[in-house]
């Protein structure tokens, strides 16, 4: 069974304002603009959808939902080209991290949603422990090296093979989260620390990150609060996952033969979709 993140859907008070940011800074192309939604992506694939909530409001306290959306670029050179573009735009960067298996840049969109833009190192360079798990590490990034790697590339927007490499979630309970993503959905835990769990399908470092850094027992977002509306998990075995949900008595709604909608234990909406659909 193969699973990966498909798209991230955000609620916003102004879809055009936010779309301009993701077009100009992240380099996504507007693929559809209708009613209260704008879809953005690359090469015909939707990676991000913005859903306008005209009466929307910012949550006044920490709640479950998005920690960051992580856009995966195909190479270190593309990351360097993006960093040149980001610096030229004077857009504020929150930080950067060398995670051994990847190099990453962190910042926020105008609504305050977290963003990571990163590139993976070659898999043979990933450091694993005796159980095959990846250690948690955030080392200083070689910014000059990244810039040099991208010096010969002109920034022309997000490369066509950009993907949502992973999504990182702010959750209420790690053990309930572990049960849902590992036991029910079938992801593997690849990295574990007392305050965070990282899950992957196959031999990737992680497709889903989860943490309780904002505290435990967080409430979920209200319907009119801006932030994460839902994200999609693409799979080639949607019938198998539907059977697993029934086995564990997990409530879900079938939107069609190709889409299952449910909530994880933190009240975060998830859609499981056929791998041929978005």
């Amino acid at each position: 069974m193969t699973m990966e993140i498909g798209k991230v859907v955000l609620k916003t008070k102004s879809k055009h304002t936010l779309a301009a940011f993701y077009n100009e800074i992240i380099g996504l192309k507007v693929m559809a603009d209708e009613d209260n939604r704008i879809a953005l992506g690359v090469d015909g694939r939707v990676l991000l959808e913005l859903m306008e909530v005209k009466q929307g409001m910012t949550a006044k306290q920490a709640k479950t939902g998005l920690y960051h959306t992580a856009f995966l670029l195909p190479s270190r050179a593309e990351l360097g080209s993006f960093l040149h573009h980001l610096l030229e735009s004077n857009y504020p960067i929150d930080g950067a991290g060398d995670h051994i298996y990847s190099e990453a840049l962190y910042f926020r969109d105008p609504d305050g949603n977290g963003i990571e833009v990163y590139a993976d190192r070659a898999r043979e360079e990933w450091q694993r422990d005796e159980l095959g798990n990846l250690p948690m590490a955030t080392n200083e990034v070689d910014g000059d090296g990244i810039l040099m790697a991208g010096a010969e590339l002109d920034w022309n927007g997000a490369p066509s093979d950009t993907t949502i490499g992973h999504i990182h979630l702010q959750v209420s309970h790690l053990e309930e989260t572990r049960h849902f993503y590992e036991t029910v959905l079938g992801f593997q835990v690849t990295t574990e620390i007392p305050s965070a769990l990282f899950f992957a399908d196959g031999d990737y470092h992680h497709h889903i990150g989860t943490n309780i850094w904002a505290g435990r027992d967080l409430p979920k977002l209200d319907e009119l609060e801006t932030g994460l509306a839902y994200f999609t998990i693409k799979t080639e075995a949607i019938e198998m996952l539907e059977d697993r949900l029934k086995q564990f008595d997990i409530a879900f709604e079938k939107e069609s033969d190709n889409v299952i909608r449910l909530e994880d234990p933190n009240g975060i909406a998830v859609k499981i979709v056929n791998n041929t659909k978005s």
Side-chain angles (χ1 to χ4, degrees):
M1 181 168 64
T2 300
M3 295 182 286
E4 60 185 5
I5 305 303
K7 68 180 179 183
V8 173
V9 180
L10 301 175
K11 295 182 289 183
T12 180
K13 290 194 291 184
S14 175
K15 65 175 185 174
H16 288 114
T17 298
L18 209 54
F21 164 82
Y22 281 99
N23 173 245
E24 296 166 10
I25 301 299
I26 305 300
L28 303 182
K29 294 179 173 61
V30 174
M31 300 175 61
D33 183 354
E34 52 192 18
D35 298 329
N36 67 331
R37 292 174 181 260
I38 292 181
L40 301 102
V42 294
D43 196 28
R45 294 176 292 108
V46 176
L47 301 182
L48 186 74
E49 194 171 296
L50 307 177
M51 185 170 67
E52 190 166 81
V53 181
K54 293 189 181 298
Q55 304 302 317
M57 62 191 77
T58 303
K60 292 181 170 57
Q61 66 177 99
K63 295 194 173 183
T64 63
L66 187 67
Y67 189 70
H68 62 236
T69 300
F71 296 95
L72 172 61
L73 302 184
S75 68
R76 193 179 197 231
E78 295 286 6
L79 183 64
S81 176
F82 173 76
L83 181 55
H84 277 284
H85 157 71
L86 196 60
L87 294 173
E88 289 172 0
S89 74
N90 289 318
Y91 198 83
I93 301 175
D94 288 347
D98 183 334
H99 302 302
I100 302 176
Y101 48 73
S102 69
E103 295 172 290
L105 308 171
Y106 297 96
F107 48 102
R108 294 184 176 275
D109 72 18
D111 278 9
N113 299 298
I115 295 172
E116 175 182 343
V117 176
Y118 74 110
D120 285 330
R121 284 197 168 89
R123 296 200 181 201
E124 57 268 23
E125 297 177 21
W126 296 4
Q127 298 176 17
R128 300 180 184 269
D129 63 20
E130 63 276 6
L131 298 177
N133 294 324
L134 294 155
M136 180 68 170
T138 302
N139 300 324
E140 184 176 351
V141 160
D142 177 12
D144 290 340
I146 292 173
L147 287 170
M148 287 181 61
E152 301 302 316
L153 287 180
D154 291 328
W155 171 256
N156 292 306
S160 61
D161 38 6
T162 300
T163 63
I164 303 290
H166 64 269
I167 187 170
H168 196 145
L169 304 172
Q170 189 161 279
V171 301
S172 290
H173 307 282
L174 284 180
E175 285 312 309
E176 292 179 17
T177 298
R178 180 203 295 270
H179 174 75
F180 178 79
Y181 288 104
E182 181 181 34
T183 306
V184 178
L185 295 190
F187 288 92
Q188 297 85 46
V189 174
T190 55
T191 303
E192 178 176 356
I193 60 175
S195 59
L197 289 169
F198 297 83
F199 304 89
D201 183 53
D203 64 351
Y204 197 54
H205 51 76
H206 67 292
H207 292 103
I208 298 172
T210 63
N211 74 70
I212 52 170
W213 297 331
R216 301 176 185 270
D217 301 314
L218 300 180
K220 70 177 185 178
L221 285 173
D222 293 337
E223 186 175 348
L224 293 179
E225 288 177 328
T226 57
L228 182 64
Y230 66 89
F231 69 96
T232 67
I233 297 173
K234 299 195 297 184
T235 179
E236 298 171 347
I238 194 166
E239 295 88 357
M240 182 185 301
L241 280 179
E242 184 176 340
D243 289 341
R244 292 174 71 94
L245 294 173
K246 291 176 181 176
Q247 175 189 345
F248 287 98
D249 199 26
I250 304 293
F252 65 89
E253 171 191 352
K254 287 193 70 171
E255 294 189 350
S256 70
D257 288 341
N258 292 306
V259 181
I260 296 171
R261 181 185 177 96
L262 67 158
E263 285 190 355
D264 78 359
N266 310 286
I268 298 171
V270 183
K271 287 190 180 184
I272 300 171
V273 303
N274 187 301
N275 201 31
T276 62
K277 304 293 180 179
S278 61

